[in-house]
Amino acid sequence: MSGITDLNLLLSGMKPNLVEGEFVYCTVPSSTLADHIHLEPIGFFREGEGVTLILPLEAARQTGFPIAPAMRMITLDVHSSLEAIGLTAAFATALGNAGISANVVAAYYHDHIFVPAADADRAMAALQALSAAQATP
């Protein structure tokens, strides 16, 4: 099933969803990734310096990983194509204009935006306003 590529449809139908819980980014040496899978990361990415894990805050806390900054995850509940043009730029601009940093993970079906926990409500408002503005003719 292919995703939506039309930017107007993506923005008007993106339905931002604030996911329950807080998350943190941590890093471990690539050679120890298998030792950390039991922490159930919601994402990981291999870089030259190590593997970045996106972990639930409590899992990171229990293992002694640094827990700052705590992030909230906003999932855009629209099936965006990996080839869609402009979606990331549009929501990054809206969040940037609101003074909110964003870390984005694009997965097969959805985009997931990690924002500082203290800014989650403002981020939701900015994304909802962006979507509503696009839906208005």
Side-chain angles (χ1 to χ4, degrees):
M1 171 171 36
S2 62
I4 299 168
T5 59
D6 182 277
L7 183 58
N8 294 331
L9 291 175
L10 288 167
L11 292 173
S12 64
M14 66 182 186
K15 297 183 216 131
N17 175 35
L18 184 61
V19 174
E20 192 67 34
E22 294 184 350
F23 303 90
V24 293
Y25 282 62
C26 304
T27 186
V28 298
S30 295
S31 61
T32 67
L33 175 60
D35 298 335
H36 296 90
I37 294 299
H38 74 282
L39 299 173
E40 298 185 14
I42 61 168
F44 64 91
F45 195 88
R46 202 179 299 258
E47 299 177 281
E49 299 86 353
V51 176
T52 297
L53 304 173
I54 306 172
L55 295 172
L57 176 63
E58 284 307 312
R61 184 175 282 144
Q62 291 172 3
T63 59
F65 282 120
I67 57 170
M71 310 292 273
R72 295 290 307 271
M73 181 171 70
I74 299 171
T75 296
L76 301 183
D77 286 336
V78 64
H79 183 184
S80 57
S81 168
L82 292 170
E83 296 177 327
I85 298 169
L87 177 61
T88 303
F91 66 68
T93 298
L95 293 172
N97 288 342
I100 301 168
S101 68
N103 295 280
V104 181
V105 174
Y108 187 83
Y109 291 103
H110 306 286
D111 290 282
H112 309 275
I113 309 165
F114 291 86
V115 300
D119 294 330
D121 290 335
R122 289 190 318 110
M124 284 292 293
L127 294 171
Q128 290 165 341
L130 174 64
S131 184
Q134 190 62 42
T136 305

